[in-house]
Amino acid sequence: MSELLTITLPDGSARQVAPGTTPAQIAAAIGPGLAKAAIGARVDGELFDITRPLEHDARLALVTARDEADALELVRHDFAHVLAEAVQALFPGTQITFGPSTDDGFYYDFAPKDRPFTEDDLPAIEAKMREIIAADKPLRREVWARADLIARWQATGESFKAQWAAELPEGEELTVYWSGDDWFDMCRGPHLASTGKLDPAAFKLTRVSGAYWRGDQSNAMLSRIYGTGWLTKKQLDAHLTRLEEAAKRDHRKLGAEMDLFHLQSEAHGSVFWHPKGYRIWRELEAYMRRAIDGAGYREVKTPQVMDARQWEASGHWGKYRENMFVIPDEVPNTDDDGPVISGEADWMALKPMNCPAHVLIFRQGIKSYRELPLRMAEMGCCHRNEPHGALHGIMRVRQFTQDDGHIFCREDQIVDEVAQFCQLLDRVYKDLGFPKYAVKLALRPEKRFGSDEMWDKAEAELREAVERAGMATPEFGWEELPGEGAFYAPKLEFHLTDAIGRTWQCGTIQSDRVLPERLDASYIGEDGNRHRPVMLHRAILGTFERFIGILIEHFAGRLPTWLAPVQAVVATIVSDADDYAQHAVATLAAAGIRVESDTRNEKINLKVREHSLQKVPFLLVVGKREAEEGTVAIRRLGEQAQQVLPLAEALALIKAEATAPDLV
RNA sequence: GCCGCUUUAGCUCAGUCGGUAGAGCACAUCAUUCGUAAUGAUGGGGUCAGAGGUUCGAAUCCUCUAAGCGGCACCA
């Protein structure tokens, strides 16, 4: 009846097959090995069920475990479905909603019948999932008419699915996947041929959480179950090991162990920096000061509390008031029983950001175009009353200090300033041990200030600057993110990659024409008229709190010597060496090394262990021999080998590493 | 803020059926002077997160509050 299809394989060869032939049949025709290994297909580049009939001429590539990204996508998507099937089997009346694959597994959101799921439910669900996998139920794709599908969902009490089916775009083919003959889910696919293709030992349900229907806070709270899923148990085990390794780097754990800082409920969301933690801060801050001084910034310090009218003018009061710490501009009533505030108070607010204050400094006096670009910097301490659920260690806090800066410049200086900033940031990240980072451009959001022309221009400028800085390349992971910009400006984002491959957005630069307008900043141009400057908001670290947290996790606590709170410890073996140890400490300290002595009456084994756990980069062991010879036995953190050196040479060795990279 | 879980000594954690609190580490004292990841002995240390309730009796059961953890949402 119909003509044969021409299917082109990756090696360029072509096969003529009847319409309705499946990729699985073609794999079988090629060879039994491939037939066994193939779990999916790419048809004209699109991921495709291996059992789905081909209907057109196409390029076909069979997917096996070797095509890891595709294979994992298929497998994780299937695990999500098996999870949903298992939950409905164990908890009748639970509605299914949505369950995609993720970076390391899958999740599924349910509308539970009577109570949300807890972690105690997970073992039973896992067991049921294994039953479904063992049953090797075929997964079969079917196309449904929208009305039939909605009716079906309504009949089975699946109101979320019914709503979704009703709202899917016109013209989209609605497909369902059957698991055997007794369960199905609406799904775009693709899926494996049957549940038995999954490795029952290669997944694990990891946690439960709440999640809003369609990610919208105003919608119903669903109950989400997360799992991690892989092709093999070996991959799963490797993943679990990676998680354990990441947990060992947790800055909250290391911060306590290394006595760097603490948090407590009396000031939740604000950090108590201990001497050692604050030493890291001071070194980092000193480094940043040198960096911005060298880049032509002038540092300022602005008020912590400003009148609410100022925040109204800047637009923050209207948009972010809920997240600001607001203070009545009135002396509180000290009566025990009376109201704390009487009458109508005027309001002030702790600053949630530095930019309005910087505009106020800019506005002092008349500025000439000759003074631009004017680069203003501040180690600005800000407060934001973040939602409680958002707080996380020292990474997300309510009081934080930004390495903030605002460049006031003319239109024609923007591209150059942004490109220069990119260069400064590159230097800083490399100095701080992050050679790899990605650059992204966040484009206009839906809700925004300013005209489309302004946004066109602002986005184009940032794009051009990145190109000029040589960062608009795949090496920098260059991409544009529609809708992600701030309400007043597009922003360049800089995402660090840490030692275990996680990414952290830290740096940013945004070109803002809104705030200078709102706060009436102007300069006198060459033509003698008033002009609006453009304001470039920029930060490299982001905040000191978060960046130090990232440093701790990146280095697993083993900070480079120049940042380490204690750079060396002189530890004695016998008390006869105490005097010599003090001499060694004094010698190193005089050269600016942060050094401590450990003359406790303890065994050297204990001292080595403790200072190693404290991540001290250099341990200098002195016994009778060293005291007599004027040497020290150097043991570097993480190494067992020791090197006996004259004190002066040891000092030179340590000094070389204890010097900040920009001072070398 | 929302969902779930958690909160017991400075830290990490046991604590069964509701019957009045335990370990290791840390700390203190004493002994030990020792060569590269934990020397030994002895001792002190608790309003079981807070408030209320049930009960003859609550670390344990219930309610509320707070904080922490994992997510969701938020992140100027």
Side-chain angles (χ1 to χ4, degrees), chain A residues 221-370:
Chain A
M221 173 66 64
L222 304 173
S223 184
R224 175 174 296 180
I225 297 178
Y226 280 94
T228 180
W230 301 84
L231 299 173
T232 62
K233 180 173 192 308
K234 201 173 158 192
Q235 283 182 341
L236 172 67
D237 290 342
H239 175 69
L240 296 177
T241 305
R242 277 197 298 279
L243 290 183
E244 282 170 28
E245 291 303 315
K248 285 183 195 161
R249 293 171 175 261
D250 192 309
H251 74 281
R252 294 165 299 189
K253 179 175 142 69
L254 288 170
E257 285 173 5
M258 295 171 67
D259 193 21
L260 303 177
F261 57 80
H262 85 273
L263 297 152
Q264 65 180 64
S265 59
E266 285 75 5
H268 75 287
S270 299
V271 184
F272 292 80
W273 288 98
H274 296 195
K276 285 182 185 171
Y278 198 56
R279 172 53 71 177
I280 301 172
W281 179 306
R282 285 179 52 183
E283 292 304 317
L284 186 59
E285 190 177 46
Y287 170 86
M288 287 309 296
R289 285 217 160 88
R290 294 192 298 271
I292 59 174
D293 285 351
Y297 288 80
R298 283 178 287 171
E299 189 176 345
V300 298
K301 202 74 179 173
T302 60
Q304 212 57 47
V305 179
M306 286 203 295
D307 196 292
R309 283 185 287 272
Q310 185 60 43
W311 300 110
E312 280 166 24
S314 68
H316 294 99
W317 191 258
K319 200 165 164 63
Y320 291 108
R321 182 176 175 177
E322 283 180 7
N323 296 313
M324 289 167 70
F325 286 101
V326 174
I327 306 168
D329 185 13
E330 177 159 329
V331 177
N333 189 338
T334 51
D335 290 353
D336 287 345
D337 302 327
V340 175
I341 304 301
S342 56
E344 288 285 304
D346 282 334
W347 297 100
M348 317 211 26
L350 278 167
K351 68 171 166 182
M353 54 185 1
N354 308 298
C355 29
H358 289 187
V359 176
L360 297 184
I361 292 179
F362 181 86
R363 280 178 33 155
Q364 289 301 111
I366 295 172
K367 293 290 180 294
S368 154
Y369 73 95
R370 295 175 200 276

Side-chain angles (χ1 to χ4, degrees), chain A residues 25 41 48 81 111 125 222 225 229 254 258 303 350 421 506 593 608 652:
Chain A
Q25 288 165 333
F48 206 79
H81 270 232
I125 298 171
L222 304 173
I225 297 178
L254 288 170
M258 295 171 67
L350 278 167
F421 171 77
C506 294
I593 307 294
V608 167

Side-chain angles (χ1 to χ4, degrees), chain A residues 478-615:
Chain A
W478 169 245
E479 62 174 327
E480 303 195 353
L481 308 171
E484 300 277 309
F487 69 92
Y488 53 82
K491 57 181 177 183
L492 281 180
E493 300 176 352
F494 300 85
H495 300 247
L496 299 180
T497 300
D498 76 7
I500 54 174
R502 296 173 301 182
T503 60
W504 307 88
Q505 197 222 305
C506 294
T508 182
I509 185 164
Q510 306 151 16
S511 73
D512 179 7
R513 289 166 167 87
V514 173
L515 199 61
E517 177 76 31
R518 289 186 75 108
L519 297 184
D520 193 25
S522 64
Y523 66 91
I524 309 296
E526 220 169 342
D527 56 8
N529 296 323
R530 282 185 181 273
H531 297 271
R532 288 271 174 242
V534 175
M535 209 177 162
L536 306 178
H537 305 249
R538 40 110 293 158
I540 297 175
L541 306 181
T543 76
F544 281 85
E545 285 82 356
R546 180 161 176 270
F547 199 86
I548 292 171
I550 294 168
L551 281 173
I552 292 168
E553 301 208 354
H554 176 56
F555 289 111
R558 296 167 55 167
L559 295 166
T561 304
W562 72 277
L563 283 171
V566 177
Q567 297 171 317
V569 167
V570 180
T572 52
I573 293 171
V574 292
S575 51
D576 286 349
D578 285 1
D579 290 345
Y580 176 64
Q582 294 308 340
H583 165 69
V585 165
T587 305
L588 296 182
I593 307 294
R594 295 188 289 276
V595 58
E596 292 178 355
S597 69
D598 184 353
T599 56
R600 291 175 302 167
N601 177 13
E602 294 290 352
K603 293 193 171 181
I604 195 63
N605 291 316
L606 182 84
K607 296 184 183 183
V608 167
R609 176 181 159 80
E610 289 190 349
H611 300 300
S612 298
L613 290 173
Q614 286 295 306
K615 327 281 192 214

Side-chain angles (χ1 to χ4, degrees), chain A residues 20-186:
Chain A
T21 302
T22 66
Q25 288 165 333
I26 294 173
I30 295 171
L34 185 60
K36 201 169 167 221
I39 57 172
R42 270 198 181 268
V43 174
D44 287 335
E46 189 187 339
L47 205 54
F48 206 79
D49 303 308
I50 196 158
T51 55
R52 179 170 163 190
L54 295 161
E55 282 153 14
H56 308 284
D57 290 352
R59 287 175 291 110
L60 171 75
L62 292 156
V63 171
T64 69
R66 286 193 187 177
D67 308 296
E68 199 167 81
D70 283 350
L72 284 172
E73 169 64 27
L74 282 164
V75 160
R76 287 170 179 163
H77 200 172
D78 274 40
F79 276 128
H81 270 232
V82 172
L83 165 61
E85 184 176 349
V87 165
Q88 288 203 310
L90 291 173
F91 302 91
T94 303
Q95 290 191 58
I96 50 177
T97 69
F98 176 67
S101 62
T102 64
D103 286 349
D104 65 6
F106 56 93
Y107 66 78
Y108 207 108
D109 287 347
F110 302 95
K113 184 161 173 258
D114 29 51
R115 62 161 179 92
F117 299 110
T118 75
E119 285 182 16
D120 294 340
D121 296 323
L122 299 183
I125 298 171
E126 280 187 1
K128 178 57 83 175
M129 286 175 70
R130 295 207 166 87
E131 275 177 37
I132 294 167
I133 292 169
D136 195 16
K137 301 172 80 172
L139 300 170
R140 184 164 46 84
R141 180 179 185 273
E142 260 179 21
V143 179
W144 279 53
R146 186 185 301 259
D148 294 347
L149 190 49
I150 293 172
R152 162 87 184 206
W153 288 134
Q154 282 169 344
T156 51
E158 299 278 1
S159 59
F160 289 93
K161 282 287 185 190
Q163 185 192 341
W164 195 3
E167 290 175 16
L168 277 170
E170 212 46 48
E172 184 158 324
E173 197 171 51
L174 302 192
T175 55
V176 304
Y177 279 81
W178 284 91
S179 168
D181 294 319
D182 54 341
W183 189 85
F184 82 25
D185 191 2
M186 178 172 74

Side-chain angles (χ1 to χ4, degrees), chain A residues 283 560-563 567-568 587-595 617-618 620 634 636 645 647-661 663-664:
Chain A
E283 292 304 317
T561 304
W562 72 277
L563 283 171
Q567 297 171 317
T587 305
L588 296 182
I593 307 294
R594 295 188 289 276
V595 58
F618 290 98
L620 311 185
I634 295 195
R636 303 184 65 121
L645 289 177
L647 184 55
E649 283 180 37
L651 170 59
L653 179 72
I654 297 168
K655 185 80 185 162
E657 285 191 27
T659 306
L663 298 177
V664 172

